[in-house]
Amino acid sequence: MCTVTFLPKGKSGYILTSNRDETPKRAALPPKPYIVGGKAIYFPKDPLAGGSWIATDKNRFTVCLLNGGFEKHKHQPPYRLSRGQMVLQFFEYYETQRFIDQFEFSGMEPFTLIVVDSNIEGIQLHQLVWDGNTLHIKDLNPGTSFIWSSSTLYPENVRRERSSWFSQWLEEQQAFFQEEIISFHKSGGKGDAWNDFIMNRNEVVKTVSVTSIEKRDEDFSMIYHDLLKEKGVIDAPSL
C-alpha cells in the first residue's frame, strides 16, 4: 500500500504493482476470490480489519490504496471506516463516478486511491486523494507510466528520489514484463533500508509483500509474494 507503479501495455493492457509497508505483526492472507457486491473480487486480505490495499474483479476494475494524501497527516482516530474496507466497498458502486458521488468520505483517514477502469473505450486511470476535508480527483493518462509513494512514510524529497529510480528503470526497458517490474519492486533503491523499495525500519515497519496485477486483453493475472513467509501465490484461483 505504500509503493505503487503503473505500466501501460497497449490500449487495453497494464501492470499495476504494489509494495505493502506495514508492521510485520499485521500479516495478510494470500489472495483469493471473495463475493463483494454480488461478484467475485480477488484480493489479499488484512485479517485485522477485513479489508485490503489492492483488489480486482479481473474484468473491469483494479483498485489500489496508499495511506495518506499529499502530505503526512496526524493520526487522529477514531475514524468512520477502515480505508481497506473502503477499497472493497468501491466494487459495490459499479462505476467510479457513482463511488465519487455517493461514498461518504467524511470521517475517513487521508488516503490516495488509484482506480484503473478497463471499459469498451479502453483504459481510464484515476487518482483520488482524500486529504481529510476535500476529495481531489485527477484523471491520468493511461498511456504513461506512474509511481506513487505513501506520504505517511516518505517525505517529498524521498518521493522525488524514488521517482528518479523508477525513471532510470524505465529508460532501460524496451517492453514491460510483470516479472521484471516485480524484480524492480524488490531491488529498487540505493542500499538505504529506511527508504528503499524493500524497506525495513528496525522491524517496526517493513515491506511485507509485493502484489502485481496484469491485464492482457481479456485476461488478468495476479502475482503475490509474501515476503514474511518467503513464498508466492501465482494467479489467484477462480470460483
Side-chain angles (χ1 to χ4, degrees):
M1 71 173 59
C2 297
T3 305
V4 178
T5 60
F6 174 87
L7 300 174
K9 294 201 68 173
K11 184 178 179 180
S12 60
Y14 63 85
I15 306 172
L16 186 78
T17 306
S18 170
N19 284 18
R20 186 188 191 212
D21 301 338
E22 186 58 84
T23 169
K25 297 178 181 179
R26 194 171 176 175
L29 302 174
K32 74 174 189 177
Y34 300 85
I35 300 301
V36 180
K39 57 184 176 181
I41 308 299
Y42 299 75
F43 58 91
K45 187 175 184 179
D46 178 356
L48 183 62
S52 185
W53 62 98
I54 187 168
T56 182
D57 59 13
K58 281 200 167 186
N59 179 34
R60 179 174 176 181
F61 289 108
T62 293
V63 180
C64 190
L65 172 76
L66 294 94
N67 289 340
F70 297 113
E71 299 297 337
K72 186 175 182 179
H73 63 278
K74 184 178 180 180
H75 183 60
Q76 295 179 312
Y79 293 102
R80 184 183 69 80
L81 181 74
S82 159
R83 290 168 294 190
Q85 291 177 335
M86 177 197 65
V87 168
L88 304 184
Q89 289 188 10
F90 172 91
F91 292 93
E92 299 177 1
Y93 289 83
Y94 303 103
E95 297 288 345
T96 305
Q97 192 60 51
R98 186 177 299 162
F99 172 75
I100 291 171
D101 293 340
Q102 299 180 8
F103 185 81
E104 181 58 59
F105 293 98
S106 62
M108 296 290 298
E109 189 168 7
F111 63 80
T112 299
L113 191 68
I114 308 303
V115 179
V116 191
D117 179 357
S118 306
N119 54 51
I120 58 174
E121 298 178 356
I123 293 175
Q124 296 176 338
L125 182 61
H126 310 286
Q127 174 187 282
L128 311 181
V129 178
W130 171 251
D131 64 10
N133 296 295
T134 304
L135 182 67
H136 304 264
I137 305 164
K138 187 174 184 179
D139 297 333
L140 304 176
N141 180 358
T144 301
S145 300
F146 292 94
I147 183 171
W148 297 266
S149 298
S150 173
S151 63
T152 59
L153 287 175
Y154 307 104
E156 184 178 358
N157 64 311
V158 175
R159 297 199 300 268
R160 287 198 303 267
E161 184 175 35
R162 293 168 126 244
S163 293
S164 72
W165 301 337
F166 183 54
S167 296
Q168 181 177 353
W169 180 84
L170 289 173
E171 291 176 358
E172 299 169 354
Q173 308 307 307
Q174 296 183 343
F176 297 141
F177 298 97
Q178 195 172 27
E179 295 80 6
E180 292 186 5
I181 186 61
I182 290 173
S183 177
F184 176 64
H185 270 252
K186 289 184 172 183
S187 62
K190 60 179 184 180
D192 175 7
W194 203 262
N195 293 310
D196 284 352
F197 281 11
I198 298 295
M199 57 91 83
N200 187 342
R201 298 185 180 178
N202 301 321
E203 295 295 322
V204 176
V205 178
K206 63 188 296 186
T207 306
V208 297
S209 66
V210 179
T211 309
S212 184
I213 295 171
E214 179 175 8
K215 182 183 185 300
R216 302 180 299 268
D217 295 323
E218 299 301 319
D219 183 39
F220 273 80
S221 70
M222 174 181 280
I223 296 177
Y224 176 78
H225 289 272
D226 185 333
L227 302 183
L228 298 179
K229 296 183 179 179
E230 301 261 334
K231 67 179 181 180
V233 176
I234 301 178
D235 290 332
S238 302
L239 284 177

